[in-house]
Amino acid sequence: MHYVIGSGPAAVSCAMAVLNRGEEVTMLDAGFALEPDAARAVAEMSRQTPGEWGSESLARMKVLAHAGGAPRKLVYGSSYAYRRPDGYAEAEGKGVDFAPSFAIGGLSNVWGAAMLPYRQEDIDEWPIGVEELAPYYARVLEFVPLTGRLDALAALFPLYTSAFQEHTTSRQGARVLRAMERHREALNREGISFGSSRLAVETKGCVYCGMCMFGCPYDLIYSSRHTLSRLGERRGFRYLGGVVVERFAERGGAVAIEGRTLSGEPVSFEGERLFLGAGPLPTTQIVMDSLEIDETTLLDSQYFRLPLLQATGGGARREELHTLAQAFIELLDPAISRRTVHMQLYTYNDIYELELRRRFGRLYPFMPAGPVLDRMLLIQGFLHSDDSLKVRVRRRGSRLSLHKVKDSRPRQTAGRVARKLARNSLRIGAAPLLPLLEVELPGRSFHDGGTLPMRADPQHGQTDTLGRPAGLQRVHVIDSSVFPTIPATTITLSVMANAYRIGAEHAD
């Protein structure tokens, strides 16, 4: 029996690969799920058209959680994706904001569905390259839907599938793309490339209701829950929820696994192999406790937010549209960074109005909010881990202690990016509001890892190219904990491809 820990994107992708090898898999997972009342409300909405949805149901779903900085995304008005098991020793730290998930499907319940592969130039320090990941990008896209277009971005980021679908771009997004297309050559000379967004979304059945950021009532945004359902139909697969894994040990030709149930009862398992995909912080804690590693470094792809205004427009608040990223903008400028800076362009969604109401309170009715909201755009940009703050991770008894390493590069790099966009505002068709640039805390991007980096010759606290900690043969780390660096381009597709690679290529 092979054991896979977790049910997020890495875990289901690896489990798929192991099953395809003809081996049996048991998945151990805490497995928190959406509360029954919320699940019933969503199920009812899924059987209705948007015109039939009640105001009470919409109000219950359109909720934001704030912990400073950007609002934390909930799903269907619930925070279950961030719920911790009772007695779980949460990591401590100031100036960081990491949020592991113990839910079925992990953070894929609340992600933005953006999907791009990595460029070789952004992973040149890895012991594997894009050539090794490429076939597994294709395998993952056999069971994960991809929405996108065959456009100029393909020269930098291949699609790796011919079975992609297309979404209708919002009117605001289309205006930006048309403006950039008119100035493509000038933008390319500036190091700016662009194209339609690529999203893990099933477009069949999409009614453009604008609820994407609060939770799709029709469940069309990919979650690893979907793949888990398919795995449950496979012979040789078993899902065991309600289990929190704490330690492991290799014993001869087997791996012993220790943990507890959600009610606190100790449990143990023994298998041929163990694949750890619980997410960077939980996986790191399991490995550090099991192998007595006292300290490591957590890498992050920090992100920044930059509002923009279009000179013309109107009616965005009434448009039928999806509210995920509409376009991707890539910056390759050695004067700013030797790595790719990835940006996702968002057009109107109801979060903008909720945020303005929260920030201005009683003054909101006196603001010219309508014309502003109809023209407002938002860039969510990501920096390579080379340009981001690093976090020192220390083991303190039963919990981890996180300490960010001070570095001015994230703010400087984000500032240079914002000013470059401002200089090209006429070519982009929108003007960045530079004073409103915000660089978020490490962890808020959910693009982190690197605590157990892959190396060609791993030492204590590192892993080999199959994710095996130094000295071990039957334990494999399969999530982003093994990434030697964290590129700016979206992380989930590469996490899944690498996990599939490990599951497919592990030694007999």
Side-chain angles (χ1 to χ4, degrees), residues 40 57 71 80 87 92 121 134 138 175 194 233 235 245 251 269 295 319 335 352 398 409-410 425 495 508:
R40 283 192 291 270
S57 296
Y80 83 95
E92 296 178 325
E121 292 84 350
R175 281 196 291 270
F194 61 92
E233 300 170 356
R235 182 188 298 271
V245 170
R251 296 174 183 167
F269 308 89
E295 186 173 315
E319 183 181 356
Y352 298 172
S398 62
R409 275 181 296 178
S425 57
V495 166
D508 293 325

Side-chain angles (χ1 to χ4, degrees), residues 175-250:
R175 281 196 291 270
V176 169
L177 286 171
R178 285 196 300 269
M180 296 183 77
E181 188 61 45
R182 287 195 299 271
H183 301 285
R184 176 179 294 280
E185 291 186 7
L187 288 170
N188 287 169
R189 287 194 298 270
E190 291 284 315
I192 298 173
S193 300
F194 61 92
S196 295
S197 60
R198 298 187 197 169
L199 306 169
V201 174
E202 178 58 63
T203 58
K204 184 179 180 181
C206 179
V207 296
Y208 298 90
C209 64
M211 290 294 290
C212 311
M213 303 301 285
F214 302 103
C216 175
Y218 304 107
D219 203 19
L220 300 177
I221 300 171
Y222 175 78
S223 166
S224 57
R225 289 181 291 102
H226 302 160
T227 301
L228 182 58
S229 295
R230 293 177 58 183
L231 292 172
E233 300 170 356
R234 297 276 300 269
R235 182 188 298 271
F237 179 82
R238 179 175 67 139
Y239 174 83
L240 186 57
V243 175
V244 179
V245 170
E246 296 175 322
R247 292 177 181 269
F248 63 81
E250 281 197 5

Side-chain angles (χ1 to χ4, degrees), residues 31-52:
F32 290 127
L34 183 64
E35 296 82 2
D37 286 350
R40 283 192 291 270
V42 174
E44 182 179 357
M45 291 177 72
S46 72
R47 294 188 291 268
Q48 300 172 332
T49 66
E52 297 173 304

Side-chain angles (χ1 to χ4, degrees), residues 23 27 307 341:
E23 297 160 340
M27 181 173 283
V341 177

Side-chain angles (χ1 to χ4, degrees), residues 300-329:
D300 186 58
S301 167
Q302 271 183 272
Y303 90 96
F304 59 89
R305 294 182 301 150
L306 179 64
L308 305 90
L309 280 181
Q310 290 183 311
T312 60
R317 291 171 296 160
R318 298 183 298 276
E319 183 181 356
E320 294 181 352
L321 77 172
H322 78 79
T323 53
L324 298 171
Q326 301 283 343
F328 288 168
I329 301 172

